[in-house]
Amino acid sequence: MPRYIKNTIITSKVETTPGTDALPTGAANAVLVSEMNITPLDAQNIGRNLIRGYFGGSEQLVGPASVKVGFSIELAGSGTAGTAPAWGQLLLGCAAGEGVLVTPARVEYTPVSAALKTLTQYYYDDGVLHKLLGVMGNCMLSARVGDRPLLKFEFVGLDGGVSAAATSASYAPWKKPVAMTKANVIDITLGATYAAGALTGGTVYSSTGLELNFGNVVNFSAMLSNETVDITDRDSTGSIELELTAAQEVALMAVVKANTTQSLALTIGTTAGNKIIIFAPAAQLLSPKKVDKDGKRLIGFDVRFVPTDSGTGNDEWKIVTQ
């Protein structure tokens, strides 16, 4: 009988010991996804290249192999300020740390460079269970006008085996996002200050939204004694398109030429429990380009999100739910 893509269920849970199955369940750890894909065996196959007195290929040996999973999730709060959203544990597998703060109630996600977390993920493909262990990955945030705000993940894990299995899922912790419309956002803000869950100052620009790529360097490393997935570096980048006056375009062009960094922020949602702030304290605008949007002139910029000069780093960006 046929199997159907819509019957897929994905579960994910933070591991206590990297590479050891955390046993995620559909009841407690289901992930509400869209746009999913899986590479069930991404093997470094080994050619034999035999010479046998006639033309023809040789079979290959299956070498070290990992499993890759990609999916998107909707970016929304937990419904309660100060309670971590369901997608928070996915960010932990992307070299991010989670801080639950009380004044005011909020949860902040920031980059980390040590004590990284790994995940166990189960991918139930309508009767076939693929297990991924020691999972780490990269995330791209997409918040564009006229769309849903999304987190797009690409994960790599160790092959934990394949079996015939099924499960059911509960998606109660996953909340509905707001649409990216004028009524639901405070648009791209340059030059603001963030403190204790609030943005102050800065200039708000009309934009088409924001894209932010964590830029994690994710490697599957095979040794004779062990295999691991590691995040070894990070280079966060993104893009924006702004509607500027002539004077603003000239001013921002000077900012680009001077290699100046400034803060960049975007606020999604207006209601407690479903309000999200994306804040970067040192964003560098680069590569200005002229953009035609329905006959209107916009100016697009590539953005580099870099650590501040504090000496401690790990502050290129912050995702706050409150």
Side-chain angles (χ1 to χ4, degrees):
M1 61 182 294
R3 293 162 54 213
Y4 300 107
I5 292 172
K6 280 289 186 86
N7 290 342
T8 301
I9 292 174
I10 297 174
T11 65
S12 183
K13 185 178 180 180
V14 175
E15 294 174 341
T16 301
T17 302
T20 299
D21 196 338
L23 304 174
T25 67
N29 310 112
V31 182
L32 186 60
V33 307
S34 58
E35 302 168 344
M36 61 195 178
N37 61 79
I38 183 170
T39 303
L41 197 67
D42 188 27
Q44 303 169 16
N45 291 338
I46 303 164
R48 298 181 65 199
N49 301 319
L50 301 177
I51 299 174
R52 296 173 290 196
Y54 50 83
F55 289 177
S58 310
E59 71 273 19
Q60 294 184 331
L61 305 178
V62 176
S66 61
V67 184
K68 294 182 177 180
V69 166
F71 52 78
S72 297
I73 65 97
E74 295 173 330
L75 180 61
S78 67
T80 304
T83 297
W87 45 264
Q89 53 90 24
L90 298 173
L91 290 191
L92 300 186
C94 295
E98 180 182 82
V100 179
L101 303 166
V102 296
T103 310
R106 65 194 188 278
V107 183
E108 297 186 352
Y109 295 92
T110 54
V112 295
S113 301
L116 307 185
K117 303 292 186 181
T118 58
L119 309 173
T120 293
Q121 293 184 340
Y122 288 5
Y123 193 108
Y124 292 89
D125 185 19
D126 196 5
V128 176
L129 168 58
H130 302 266
K131 291 186 178 182
L132 291 75
L133 307 178
V135 174
M136 305 188 86
N138 186 49
C139 176
M140 186 181 80
L141 183 152
S142 179
R144 303 300 300 269
V145 63
D147 203 349
R148 306 167 293 164
L150 296 171
L151 295 176
K152 301 180 180 182
F153 294 95
E154 293 289 340
F155 287 110
V156 180
L158 307 178
D159 180 13
V162 181
S163 62
T167 193
S168 59
S170 170
Y171 299 107
W174 295 86
K175 305 304 180 183
K176 186 185 302 182
V178 300
M180 290 295 298
T181 63
K182 177 179 179 293
N184 294 327
V185 305
I186 299 175
D187 212 339
I188 295 293
T189 305
L190 300 180
T193 299
Y194 174 86
L199 294 169
T200 56
T203 302
V204 178
Y205 293 85
S206 179
S207 84
T208 60
L210 170 68
E211 291 202 343
L212 164 61
N213 188 334
F214 287 15
N216 292 337
V217 178
V218 185
N219 295 304
F220 167 63
S221 178
M223 306 291 285
L224 290 178
S225 297
N226 71 312
E227 296 176 338
T228 59
V229 177
D230 304 288
I231 294 175
T232 58
D233 200 1
R234 177 180 59 247
D235 187 9
S236 299
T237 59
S239 63
I240 56 174
E241 294 175 346
L242 306 180
E243 185 176 17
L244 303 174
T245 66
Q248 287 173 331
E249 180 180 351
V250 171
L252 286 182
M253 190 72 82
V255 167
V256 171
K257 291 179 178 179
N259 306 309
T260 302
T261 62
Q262 60 190 314
S263 69
L264 184 153
L266 175 68
T267 303
I268 304 170
T270 59
T271 304
N274 199 13
K275 180 180 177 182
I276 297 168
I277 297 173
I278 299 104
F279 179 76
Q284 182 185 13
L285 304 185
L286 294 166
S287 306
K289 55 187 71 69
K290 303 284 189 175
V291 178
D292 178 348
K293 179 174 172 56
D294 302 325
K296 292 202 302 183
R297 173 62 69 212
L298 303 185
I299 308 299
F301 297 92
D302 294 337
V303 185
R304 293 187 62 78
F305 300 96
V306 297
T308 62
D309 295 327
S310 64
T312 58
N314 297 310
D315 61 354
E316 298 99 305
W317 44 261
K318 185 187 301 285
I319 300 174
V320 183
T321 71
Q322 56 185 177

